[in-house]
Amino acid sequence: MLEHFSRFIRDHFIRFRSLNATRLVAGSFAVIILVGTLLLSLPIAARSGESAGLFNAFFTATSATCVTGLVTVDTATTWSFFGQAVILLMIQLGGLGFMTVITLISLASHRRIGLSERLIMVSTLNLNDLDGVVRVVRHALMGTAFFELAGTALLSLRMIPRFGLFRGLWHALFHSVSAFCNAGFDLQGMDTGLFSSLSGYADDPVILLTTSALVIIGGLGFFVWEDILKNRKWKKLTLYSKLVLGLTAVLLLGGTVFFLGSEWGNPATLGPMPVWEKCLNAFFQSMTLRTAGFNVIDQGAMTDNSIVMSCILMLIGGSSGSTAGGMKTVTVWVLAMVVMNSLRGRESIVFRGRTLPLRRAMNAVTLFLMVSFLFLTGSMLISLTHEATFLQAAFETASALGTVGLTTGITPTLARPAQALLAVMMYTGRVGILSVSIAFLNRRRDSLDIKYPEFSIMIG
């Protein structure tokens, strides 16, 4: 049966010559959202026994598939066990990528992976080439299962005593998958209040550190996993893996120090906590902005400086080929290198005796400009259509575009057009700005065989 299903997918989706890999990836996410919307709109998916509404189902399906976490209705109090199971499945499919799951079926049926499918896996995981892509995907699937089950076991130590065996195991599994996939969905609404996320565990190191570990590991990227598994020594790691690990540590530590300083005396956030709890929650805040979406402090009560820093960290996101969103850590590093080399008057980017290809630098610049345009445009539109400050609107937009899922509390109260805009931002942020551009705009590449005369203009 698995072999027949895998062959059906291959014959009807993968081998259409008129479609390229990036369009298939974008289309697969759209299909998951459509199916999820239909399932969540059924009465059986709602705890009340009545349909939660087509728009709420659509927004939740988009948020789950794009592993974001923004919601218009509380997950625990609105959706039944069936609805929560549908959300969890969409989170898993969205985190791994639908085509990666199809690859799992192909591997299970012992079928050879063709070139077209390898190209799709490269696009899904945002890898650079075809070298060892099947091995990377296989290890990614195995690693995902291991970390999610390990996270479930650790979280169940706290969840089972609190909720009982069945409900505790379900909560542990749901939160483990949600954390590893950087989704930010939670089931705490019935116990600690609507949209409360993990605020009821602000003094629980087991819950917060386990969740943090899952988020960080999921945000490192499958290629980095493969590199660590293969080489196991820092000196033998690739330059990319070293950059990812180094930048991740810097952002986590820098964010922790910043939020400690900015929120130390804020009575609505870290102020009333003891010192150890302040440090733990400041670290969790720095971590969750890496597209995780869980919160332990009131995001709307933070200082303006903290909100601005949160927007920056949300737009940076995690690493390429991971479950995280955002522009990605190494992309920001490339941008910094472009600026530094430009100030020094250098035409090429050289780092440790190696030259970065110009097209990589241009991709980083293009991605930055497109994200900046979408971020500013979305922020202005939301602030115009809702009685909110620009900072609040910017926070929601950055959260959606970076597929983070944090909110200052205004998302459920936004007008439908603004919520629809956030849904578009979530889809764009997850599929990838460049993937969307390649899939729908650049139908043909301009030929570079003809060289034209150069011209000069004044800059600055």
Side-chain angles (χ1 to χ4, degrees), residues 293-374:
F294 297 104
N295 67 274
V296 288
I297 60 174
D298 184 358
Q299 305 297 298
M302 294 191 300
T303 63
D304 289 350
N305 288 334
S306 294
I307 292 178
V308 172
M309 177 57 72
S310 296
C311 290
I312 294 173
L313 292 177
M314 286 191 291
L315 291 176
I316 292 175
S319 302
S320 299
S322 71
T323 58
M327 289 186 293
K328 307 297 188 296
T329 52
V330 175
T331 301
V332 175
W333 176 82
V334 171
L335 290 171
M337 293 296 293
V338 169
V339 172
M340 291 175 59
N341 281 268
S342 179
L343 292 176
R344 295 174 180 176
R346 299 177 180 176
E347 296 184 357
S348 59
I349 301 176
V350 180
F351 182 74
R352 294 187 176 181
R354 300 178 184 178
T355 301
L356 181 72
L358 178 61
R359 61 186 177 89
R360 295 290 182 187
M362 290 303 297
N363 286 344
V365 173
T366 302
L367 181 59
F368 171 75
L369 292 176
M370 295 187 70
V371 168
S372 299
F373 172 77
L374 290 172

Side-chain angles (χ1 to χ4, degrees), residues 92 95-96 100 125 127 135-149 179-182 213-233 237-238 240-242 244-245 248 319-324:
Q92 191 73 86
L96 290 176
T100 305
L125 298 179
L127 302 175
R135 183 183 68 254
V136 173
V137 171
R138 184 186 293 112
H139 290 166
L141 294 169
M142 294 170 60
T144 297
F146 171 79
F147 288 119
E148 288 179 351
L149 290 176
F180 182 81
C181 292
N182 284 208
L214 289 168
V215 171
I216 294 169
I217 293 172
L220 287 177
F222 304 127
F223 178 82
V224 177
W225 293 8
E226 183 69 17
D227 196 19
I228 294 174
L229 183 64
K230 179 180 178 181
N231 294 309
R232 303 186 181 184
K233 291 184 179 180
L237 296 179
T238 64
Y240 173 78
S241 296
K242 291 179 180 179
V244 167
L245 294 171
T248 298
S319 302
S320 299
S322 71
T323 58

